[in-house]
Amino acid sequence: MARLFIIFLSAMLALSACAAPPPPPPQIGADGKPLPRVYHIRDGQEREIRFRMLDSVNALREANGAGTVILDERLTAAAATHSRDMSVQNRPWHFGSDGSSPVDRIRRVGYEGDLVGETISETYETELETLAAWMEEEVTRRVILNPEATRMGFDWLQEPGGKIWWTMVLGK
């Protein structure tokens, strides 16, 4: 019996040594606040990130009396195109390098509905941190919570250094 206990205890100690180490404490900046960490998007996370954003947007919309939106592959294609283009231009703005507007981009991908709005961001933060920042700004909050929106496209481009160009397009 004692031998079985020793074997069990040895196995438990060996397994506990396999646990992941705790994350390092955050580095503190000169202002006393934690420095941001780079959010690295791994291959294969696209679907997870897209649906996490959709669920979060819908929760915010429902809490504010707006209906839910569904993901639209055409709007997502327009968002992906614009995220890549903002990276090429190295600036977050709503015009493409060819002078295209959000309406031009949704038409190019075959979306026949109306544009409700577009939100964009240049950041190193997660999609949910980006959504929280969008909700703090009146202009982008109005786009996200617009009750006329029924469809959403969402995509991004992450550069090798970690910078992420996020684009959300809402349509009806």
Side-chain angles (χ1 to χ4, degrees), residues 33-127:
K33 295 180 181 178
L35 294 173
R37 290 189 179 164
V38 176
Y39 174 52
H40 289 286
I41 299 172
R42 297 182 311 275
D43 288 339
Q45 283 189 296
E46 293 83 8
R47 181 178 164 87
E48 173 188 333
I49 290 170
R50 211 167 269 121
F51 280 101
R52 188 167 40 239
M53 179 62 92
L54 176 67
D55 290 345
S56 299
V57 165
N58 279 333
L60 290 166
R61 290 175 59 81
E62 286 178 340
N64 285 278
T68 60
V69 294
I70 61 172
L71 278 177
D72 185 285
E73 64 186 34
R74 294 162 300 180
L75 293 178
T76 295
T81 298
H82 193 53
S83 291
R84 281 189 304 274
D85 195 37
M86 286 190 298
S87 173
V88 168
Q89 296 181 72
N90 196 33
R91 64 178 170 179
W93 74 326
H94 294 283
F95 296 97
S97 55
D98 61 355
S100 62
S101 70
V103 172
D104 296 329
R105 289 189 293 278
I106 68 170
R107 293 293 173 250
R108 286 180 187 164
V109 296
Y111 186 75
E112 296 176 0
D114 293 327
L115 175 73
V116 170
E118 177 182 77
T119 60
I120 58 173
S121 183
E122 167 195 16
T123 184
Y124 291 88
E125 298 176 323
T126 70
E127 67 280 0

